[in-house]
Amino acid sequence: MNWLTHELRLLVRSKLALIALTLLLALSALAVLSGMREVARQQQTIARLNGLQQQELAAQARKYIRGGDAGSAAYYTFHGTWDAPSPTAFLALGLRDAAPYVLRVRALALQAQLHEGESFNPELALAGRFDFAFVLVYLAPLFLIALLYDLVSGERRSGRLGTLLAMPGAGRWLWLRRAGLRAALVFGCLVLPVLAGALDSGTAIEAVGTVLLVTADYLAVWSGLALIVATRSGSSAANAMALMGCWAVLTLILPTLANAVLARAVPVHQGVELMLAQRQAVHGAWDLPPEATMEKFFRTHPEWRHTAPLPSGFHWKWYYAFQQLGDESAAPQAAAYRDGLLARQRWTSRLGWLLPGVGVQAALHRQADTDLQAQLAYQDRIAEFHARLRAFYYPYLFNDLRFGPQDFASQPSFSPAAHSAEVPLGQLLGLLLMGAVILALGVAAAGRVRPNAG
């Protein structure tokens, strides 16, 4: 291990290397701390809103001590739903930064309630959250470039290259051990805060292992690319410019172009358009004959056909019937919206096999359960709860049953699904293959360094 001591001693003499590693460690720690604070804030928000929800339910329950109308209870009673962050969410917040993770719903039409949370300024979400995924994808390559761009050109400029290559054990091994040491130190600066945060958050070992593997694969890609460029005969400035160009193309330009092409190839309407279409169908029902609305409702819900006919004037079962029909009228549009989002997600995952930054984000967001799949799963749980809510109220509405305090207390309650660490095998395999290929090319390039080049 004498070579390790020697290389460490040389590295410590470089103020640039020490500053870069210290800064990266600080940024990684700050990103982890920022993610943990955001997760804690979301958990506190969920707990606080659940407490307020219980107070509101208690206030509503007092109105039905002597009995009341089920339609009124269904209309005025909001039910809380929530999607708690996973233990790994602090590393990659993903869609939790923009999509709602708390939503109150009633027994009214569902689609409008699901997509009300999309009414935000999208420009505020462009920069994204400063978390570990951001540091890894966008900043870590810059630090590797700063540490490796003059790996060979610096020795050539100082006139030591010929002497170094003439020494026993030099050649490819010399550049690989220097590059490997710098990459290992970058890896350590990135993952030490991750391990501390995972220990504090109770993150599963499998999830931590996935994050470490993703980090190592991504650094292998950039280490191999840096070796390919740094071992050429160019000057230090030319190497730095070439690597910075690679960084800009791989992390900024190509992902942006791919996203634009994907948006044009797989067009998806905004959820707010689905909300407006559903509301238009609901509001239009006020102008239709109630009997026609009920007949349409009975076609899809024949179990209520033989209940008492509508009386003159307003009746709650007519109101909730056209609320249900509003959801059913928007169902094809909702399915198309969901299919379009999933199609984009699939293509994004495929792009991760070509663009390492996209692959890293897809893998971390899937592991952290903060991607589109997680958001749609939350919506599915809301829809399942909403269906139970309707099934609870319909017997009271269509049979004109009195709604008392015991009935109010027996309303269904939302139960969130437990998060389970899911290993993103597809993204991991893509990153592993990409890292192995590019690193192998870098290793091959390290064996072609000549003292008289340039």
Side-chain angles (χ1 to χ4, degrees), residues 210 214 362-364 366-367 422-429:
T210 299
V214 168
L364 291 180
R366 179 80 295 272
Q367 178 64 70
E422 181 179 340
V423 179
L425 293 176
Q427 291 87 354
L428 280 179
L429 181 59

Side-chain angles (χ1 to χ4, degrees), residues 409-432:
S410 62
Q411 292 182 93
S413 58
F414 179 78
S415 299
H419 291 282
S420 59
E422 181 179 340
V423 179
L425 293 176
Q427 291 87 354
L428 280 179
L429 181 59
L431 288 170
L432 185 62

Side-chain angles (χ1 to χ4, degrees), residues 159 182 234 238 263 277:
R182 286 160 173 77

Side-chain angles (χ1 to χ4, degrees), residues 108-111 274 277-279 281-282 293-304 320-335 386 390 394:
L108 308 184
L110 178 62
Q111 292 300 326
L274 176 60
Q278 184 265 314
R279 282 185 171 175
V282 169
T293 297
M294 296 306 298
E295 180 60 31
K296 187 176 181 181
F297 176 80
F298 290 146
R299 292 173 193 165
T300 53
H301 301 82
E303 65 272 20
W304 306 113
Y320 287 100
F322 71 68
Q323 293 284 330
Q324 173 96 49
L325 291 176
D327 274 339
E328 293 176 2
S329 68
Q333 190 173 347
H386 188 265
R390 276 176 168 164
Y394 278 3

